[in-house]
Structure formats: structure tokens, C-alpha cells
Amino acid sequence: MRAPIGDFDDARPAPDVLELLTAPVAEAVRAWRGPVPADQLLYVDTDPALADTDDFVAAHGAGLLTLSANCVVVAARRGGETRLAACVVLSSTRVDVNGVVRRRLDARKVSFAPHATAVGETGMEYGGITPIGLPADWPVLLDAAVADLPHVLLGSGRRRGKLIAPGKALCQLPGAVVMESLGR
């Protein structure tokens, strides 16, 4: 099937390609429940050398810049305790870590999680982290602009491949909180 966004010749329902996903993402797709069915989560094969946003949109369509989202892992600290959370914003924006995120997580300090922590705690490859399959006890802060998209391009858990999902499907994720102005 043809993908609903971008220049991809072959889009397949994610439940049909679980072997191409990391274990946590495959498990989340397998267990998917809610008003948006799992077969509306689509997988497109991509070249990992083009995983970075600028290279990717050059190869697969400039329109993807406004239809792509990044998922970043943050570490929130308060009183000697560190909690991890995910922030999902449009690729054309940056996460407001020191404002919106810090206040929402009631943290004294918030920073991007170290590479080893992000990879180790998610079970996903750096550069391919997706909100689908994150630990269920994590807050997933989702920019309203992402949730409002008919379709959004996301990581697949690996640098090779991407997922395309209805924005509203991300609201079904465990710990999902839709927020205005999360991305600036």
C-alpha cells in the first residue's frame, strides 16, 4: 500500500512486520487497544543513513518536515530523585525543556537524558526512539500540534524504518498527556 504521507512506495501495517521492530515497540503494537486500531499504525522501510530529519525530508518529501515528530527522553530531577519522561514534538520545533516540561514534571531541573540512559531504558536505538513501546510508567508529553495531525511520521525504535500513525492514536499511549506549546 502507498503511505498516506511522504514519498514511500511501500507502507505496511505494523502488526504485519513485528520482526522489523525492536522488542518493546513490537510488544506495544501486539498489545495495542483503543479507538484507533493497530493496523492504522504503518511501517515504512527507510535507509538508516537518512534517519536525521534534514536528510530524511530531502529524500522523502519536504512536506514531511511539518508532518514528522521527534521523541526525546528527558531526565527530571528534584530532591535527589531522577525520573524519566518522553516529549513528542514536531520535528520543526524544539522541546521547551526548561519551561513547559520542568513545570509539568514538577522538577527542579530537566535535561535531555544521556545517550546510554535513553537507549538502555527504552530498548530502542538512538535516533529511532518512538513513543510507542516506552515504559508504561513514564509520562509521555505530547504536543497538541502532533496529536492534531491526521498522520504523523515517527521513529520505529530503530534507525532503519519509520512509523506513520494518526496523531490521535498517540493519545492512547500509556502516560500520554497532550500539552499546548510543548514544542517551540
Side-chain angles (χ1 to χ4, degrees):
M1 97 177 41
R2 187 124 176 98
I5 59 173
D7 184 21
F8 305 101
D9 292 328
D10 185 32
R12 295 178 276 172
D16 295 348
V17 294
L18 296 176
E19 72 282 358
L20 300 177
L21 305 172
T22 58
V25 177
E27 182 53 37
V29 170
R30 195 177 292 111
W32 191 267
R33 301 286 180 273
V36 176
D39 65 357
Q40 287 191 26
L41 306 175
L42 302 176
Y43 174 86
V44 291
D45 188 38
T46 60
D47 181 348
L50 300 176
D52 293 322
T53 303
D54 290 340
D55 296 333
F56 193 83
V57 298
H60 296 288
L64 289 175
L65 189 58
T66 59
L67 301 173
S68 300
N70 290 329
C71 178
V72 296
V73 178
V74 297
R77 295 174 190 81
R78 183 174 205 55
E81 182 182 317
T82 301
R83 294 179 325 167
L84 298 176
C87 300
V88 183
V89 298
L90 292 174
S91 297
S92 58
T93 66
R94 296 194 181 280
V95 177
D96 183 4
V97 174
N98 292 311
V100 174
V101 175
R102 186 180 57 75
R103 284 189 298 276
R104 176 62 194 197
L105 298 177
D106 190 29
R108 190 156 196 90
K109 181 178 180 183
V110 177
S111 58
F112 296 106
H115 178 281
T117 300
V119 170
E121 295 293 325
T122 64
M124 301 179 201
E125 294 176 5
Y126 197 77
I129 294 175
T130 184
I132 299 169
L134 291 173
D137 61 340
W138 283 21
V140 177
L141 308 181
L142 178 63
D143 193 288
V146 175
D148 289 342
L149 288 174
H151 292 94
V152 60
L153 185 78
L154 303 157
S156 68
R158 293 199 155 103
R159 284 184 67 83
R160 170 168 220 106
K162 299 283 185 186
L163 294 175
I164 297 172
K168 66 185 176 184
L170 303 178
C171 300
Q172 296 175 203
L173 295 172
V177 177
V178 178
M179 302 181 68
E180 295 292 334
S181 304
L182 179 62
R184 300 178 127 213

